[in-house]
Amino acid sequence: MSRYMLIMRGTDETNAAMMASIDEAMAATGRFIEDMMKAEVLVAAEGLDDPRQGVVVDFGGETSVVTDGPYGETRELFGGYFLLDVATKQEAVEWAKRIPAVRGSKIEVRRVAEADEVPQGGESNGQV
């Protein structure tokens, strides 16, 4: 089995559309979570707070710079995730296709690297 993260990506517009029908969205998400629990594939699921409450720590210069949200570019906001333990990437994709997302949202499917895949002692295989 492999772990896959289904990353919810939205925009200001899709977030507003979701908030307009938040009760329906929460009920549909609850049913989706129940389905994943019954299938015994759900490891974790979390939503994130409003991006205006966050900060960005930028390491682009000599010293790190902290910037309060909202951010200059909000075309795709990371809104939360589901972490699944499934047999294949295709199975993760099939679960992602079932997420009750509003039109215009995107779900990024990424495999979580295992500890033995992380380079040790200066070696590099191009993955992090």
Side-chain angles (χ1 to χ4, degrees):
M1 299 291 271
S2 294
R3 291 180 302 152
Y4 283 86
M5 186 173 277
L6 311 182
I7 303 166
M8 299 178 291
R9 296 200 180 273
T11 63
D12 290 334
E13 293 78 21
T14 61
N15 290 343
M18 183 189 67
M19 292 308 290
S21 59
I22 191 65
D23 291 337
E24 286 178 38
M26 294 303 292
T29 300
R31 289 189 298 274
F32 179 66
I33 289 172
E34 286 177 20
D35 288 347
M36 290 187 294
M37 290 173 64
K38 287 177 186 171
E40 298 181 348
V41 299
L42 183 65
V43 175
E46 300 288 343
L48 299 178
D49 196 6
D50 186 318
R52 291 175 290 201
Q53 303 303 315
V55 299
V56 171
V57 180
D58 185 343
F59 294 93
E62 290 290 319
T63 61
S64 58
V65 176
V66 178
T67 305
D68 290 328
Y71 315 111
E73 293 290 327
T74 58
R75 292 181 302 218
E76 288 190 358
L77 299 170
F78 178 2
Y81 68 91
F82 298 99
L83 182 60
L84 307 182
D85 192 5
V86 294
T88 65
K89 179 175 167 181
Q90 187 56 41
E91 185 178 354
V93 168
E94 292 304 317
W95 281 107
K97 289 165 50 176
R98 294 180 55 190
I99 292 175
V102 299
R103 182 179 293 281
S105 299
K106 295 179 182 177
I107 306 298
E108 180 180 345
V109 178
R110 303 259 315 261
R111 191 176 67 79
V112 177
E114 299 298 325
D116 62 351
E117 296 176 295
V118 177
Q120 303 294 318
E123 66 183 71
S124 176
N125 64 0
Q127 296 179 4
V128 176

